[in-house]
Amino acid sequence: MSELLDVALMPANLVFTVLLGLVLLYWIMVILGALDFDFLDIDFDTDGDVDVDMDADADMDIQGGGVLRSVLEFFYVGEIPVMVLVSVFALCLWVISVLANYYINPKGSLLLSLPILAGNLIVSCMLVKIMAVPLRKLFKSLEADPNATRNVMGRICKIVTTEVTNGRIGQGEIQSKGAPVLLNVMAESDHVFHKDDEALIVGQNKETGVYIIAPVDLT
């Protein structure tokens, strides 16, 4: 155990050890209820930039473009919670770095650690992509509900993510006989919906499966 700790704290491994420690701290706080499961708010802007903010929910503005957008879509960001992908990536980086430096670079040479780092990043990205495929299916199955696509038109949903607009997908919750049904929703007009707002489901994008919502007019 002490040998593993010594290797983990080597300069070549220290960054990944700290990163993994932060990820573990995050999951501990989630378990204790100090943080929500979705933690990063990701916006795809129309100019191709991506803004990442620390927030209680993970939403995605779909009107983006460019290389970075393609990369995020490649790793199924938006279909898999961001922190799940970050956690898998951090674990892969740490394991590969510790093993590679232990067997190939036991003296901790910074010069030798550079090609190890480059290879580590490439292999870790490949592993994340491989593991993202079953994770994507898992989260789809968890969100799937046999009644979700039936009898929802005209029903009231409650917004459970930070913000929903005409260009930003969020989630709305519909009460059912069993567990609440979560639907991916997007605003019909320029109206901005915030967490805990109520909205009326008025349509669905057949290509994406996203439901279109409008303000509830109680007057």
Side-chain angles (χ1 to χ4, degrees), residues 79-157:
E79 298 181 68
I80 302 173
V82 174
M83 284 307 299
V84 173
L85 292 171
V86 170
S87 300
V88 173
F89 189 49
L91 181 61
C92 291
L93 287 172
W94 183 81
V95 171
I96 294 173
S97 181
V98 167
L99 292 176
N101 283 289
Y102 179 78
Y103 289 106
I104 302 174
N105 188 25
K107 294 183 179 180
S109 170
L110 292 179
L111 184 61
L112 184 56
S113 68
L114 292 179
I116 293 176
L117 172 61
N120 187 5
L121 291 173
I122 295 173
V123 173
S124 294
C125 287
M126 292 174 60
L127 290 174
V128 171
K129 174 61 177 181
I130 292 171
M131 285 184 273
V133 175
L135 285 173
R136 180 193 186 196
K137 294 180 179 179
L138 173 63
F139 281 100
K140 275 191 173 182
S141 66
L142 291 176
E143 293 179 357
D145 187 289
N147 298 317
T149 57
R150 294 180 296 176
N151 304 323
V152 297
M153 297 301 171
R155 294 190 60 181
I156 302 296
C157 70

Side-chain angles (χ1 to χ4, degrees), residues 25-207:
L25 178 62
Y26 163 79
W27 287 113
I28 291 173
M29 295 181 71
V30 168
I31 293 172
L32 295 177
L35 288 175
D36 290 338
F37 179 70
D38 294 323
F39 187 57
L40 296 180
D41 187 12
I42 298 183
D43 296 336
F44 291 90
D45 298 327
T46 55
D47 59 2
D49 295 330
V50 177
D51 298 325
V52 180
D53 304 314
M54 309 306 285
D55 203 275
D57 300 284
D59 303 328
M60 182 165 59
D61 188 329
I62 61 173
Q63 294 183 344
V67 176
L68 186 53
R69 175 185 172 85
S70 299
V71 170
L72 295 176
E73 289 180 345
F74 180 77
F75 290 107
Y76 306 121
V77 174
E79 298 181 68
I80 302 173
V82 174
M83 284 307 299
V84 173
L85 292 171
V86 170
S87 300
V88 173
F89 189 49
L91 181 61
C92 291
L93 287 172
W94 183 81
V95 171
I96 294 173
S97 181
V98 167
L99 292 176
N101 283 289
Y102 179 78
Y103 289 106
I104 302 174
N105 188 25
K107 294 183 179 180
S109 170
L110 292 179
L111 184 61
L112 184 56
S113 68
L114 292 179
I116 293 176
L117 172 61
N120 187 5
L121 291 173
I122 295 173
V123 173
S124 294
C125 287
M126 292 174 60
L127 290 174
V128 171
K129 174 61 177 181
I130 292 171
M131 285 184 273
V133 175
L135 285 173
R136 180 193 186 196
K137 294 180 179 179
L138 173 63
F139 281 100
K140 275 191 173 182
S141 66
L142 291 176
E143 293 179 357
D145 187 289
N147 298 317
T149 57
R150 294 180 296 176
N151 304 323
V152 297
M153 297 301 171
R155 294 190 60 181
I156 302 296
C157 70
K158 180 179 179 182
I159 304 303
V160 296
T161 46
T162 306
E163 187 177 277
V164 179
T165 67
N166 183 255
R168 168 182 285 185
I169 291 177
Q171 286 191 320
E173 181 182 85
I174 295 179
Q175 296 300 321
S176 66
K177 294 182 180 180
V181 177
L182 287 177
L183 304 175
N184 290 326
V185 296
M186 187 169 63
E188 179 184 37
S189 61
D190 293 334
H191 184 83
V192 178
F193 295 90
H194 300 284
K195 188 173 183 179
D196 295 329
D197 286 352
E198 290 189 334
L200 180 68
I201 298 176
V202 296
Q204 183 185 24
N205 186 317
K206 299 300 182 181
E207 294 182 358

